Amino acid sequence: MDSIEYLWKDRKRRLGLPLSFTCYRLSEDRLFCETGLLNLKSDEVLLYRVQDLELTITLGQRLFGVGTVCVHSSDKSSPHLDLKNVKRPREVKELIHRSVEQAKDRRRMRATELLGKDGPVYHDEDDLDFIPDGDDGDEID
């Protein structure tokens, strides 16, 4: 098995210290979140599926130099992944952003955003079956 080279690693922090059993890792093409001591749960998000990043830093988090990076993706199993209480959250968010853009470039992906009645809908080049609602593709105007 090939070992994965990580661009960034951290743990969820309590009072600014890495005293938890939640570990975050970023590789070239995936973001991992592993929780637990005896029973482990591991989630991963493919970077090319990331649609948006959000940064939240509460007053308490500011006191300890940590913050929460929220990753919104089109991944079915983990559409919303929070990297809670990570050290240097602004730098982490920017690193994830650059890694996402590189992953999308490697896959030659171009996302398009369509505005619908329920808000924006994102589609990528891999979504070849997409036909907008009300258009069955048979009519020619």
Side-chain angles (χ1 to χ4, degrees), residues 6-127:
Y6 296 108
L7 304 173
W8 170 79
K9 295 188 243 186
D10 200 1
R11 288 187 177 275
K12 180 178 175 183
R13 294 171 178 269
R14 298 196 191 281
L15 302 176
L17 300 172
L19 303 174
S20 74
F21 298 104
T22 300
C23 186
Y24 308 115
R25 294 182 183 97
L26 176 68
S27 74
E28 186 177 282
D29 61 346
R30 292 177 286 178
L31 180 62
F32 301 90
C33 174
E34 190 172 274
T35 58
L37 173 62
L38 299 176
N39 296 320
L40 293 178
K41 179 184 177 201
S42 182
D43 287 323
E44 71 179 63
V45 173
L46 295 169
L47 291 180
Y48 78 91
R49 291 188 174 274
V50 172
Q51 295 174 337
D52 194 23
L53 296 171
E54 181 182 341
L55 177 64
T56 305
I57 304 174
T58 65
L59 177 60
Q61 287 176 320
R62 287 178 62 193
L63 292 174
F64 292 105
V66 298
T68 299
V69 178
C70 304
V71 179
H72 303 276
S73 74
S74 62
D75 191 84
K76 300 241 188 286
S77 63
S78 300
H80 183 85
L81 182 64
D82 286 339
L83 309 178
K84 295 180 183 176
N85 296 332
V86 295
K87 196 171 156 183
R88 295 188 305 273
R90 286 181 179 90
E91 293 174 25
V92 171
K93 180 181 172 270
E94 286 305 310
L95 177 61
I96 294 170
H97 171 73
R98 285 192 306 272
S99 298
V100 165
E101 293 303 315
Q102 289 172 355
K104 288 181 179 183
D105 286 345
R106 279 192 300 273
R107 288 175 123 340
R108 293 186 174 103
M109 290 188 59
R110 183 181 54 89
T112 58
E113 181 177 341
L114 302 173
L115 291 176
K117 62 181 176 186
D118 297 328
V121 178
Y122 300 93
H123 299 280
D124 58 33
E125 288 179 351
D126 292 343
D127 188 5

